[in-house]
Amino acid sequence: MQDGNNVVLHEFAHQLDQEDGKAEGVPILNSKSNYQLWSQVMTIESQQLCDNIHRGKPTIMNSYGATNPA
Ligand SMILES: [Zn+2]
């Protein structure tokens, strides 16, 4: 509870991602424009996470989250 790790949230994210049978980091969304928005947001946030980890800044997600966009 105090270490900032939550395996349930991690595995829940996998369930949302794999609802379409693929593990590529994209959940089922309800429109084509939402896929474009998802991609834009995830690209920015993934890069920010990687940058913060490389700079030693504190992050909400641990460094494992920067090993793969999915
Ligand atoms: Zn995982």
Side-chain angles (χ1 to χ4, degrees), residues 23-44:
E24 83 284 56
V26 182
I28 294 175
L29 302 172
N30 62 2
S31 74
K32 202 169 203 166
S33 64
N34 281 345
Y35 286 98
Q36 293 169 337
L37 183 58
W38 176 266
S39 177
Q40 290 171 357
V41 170
M42 290 302 292
T43 298
I44 291 167

Side-chain angles (χ1 to χ4, degrees), residues 1-7 60 62:
M1 193 166 178
Q2 301 300 320
D3 66 3
N5 293 311
N6 189 319
V7 176
I60 292 173
N62 71 30

Side-chain angles (χ1 to χ4, degrees), residues 42-58:
M42 290 302 292
T43 298
I44 291 167
E45 293 299 324
S46 177
Q47 189 59 55
Q48 186 69 53
L49 177 63
C50 292
D51 290 348
N52 286 341
I53 288 169
H54 286 298
R55 292 181 182 137
K57 290 176 134 182

Side-chain angles (χ1 to χ4, degrees), residues 10-11 14 64:
H10 178 100
E11 296 306 326
H14 279 308
Y64 180 72

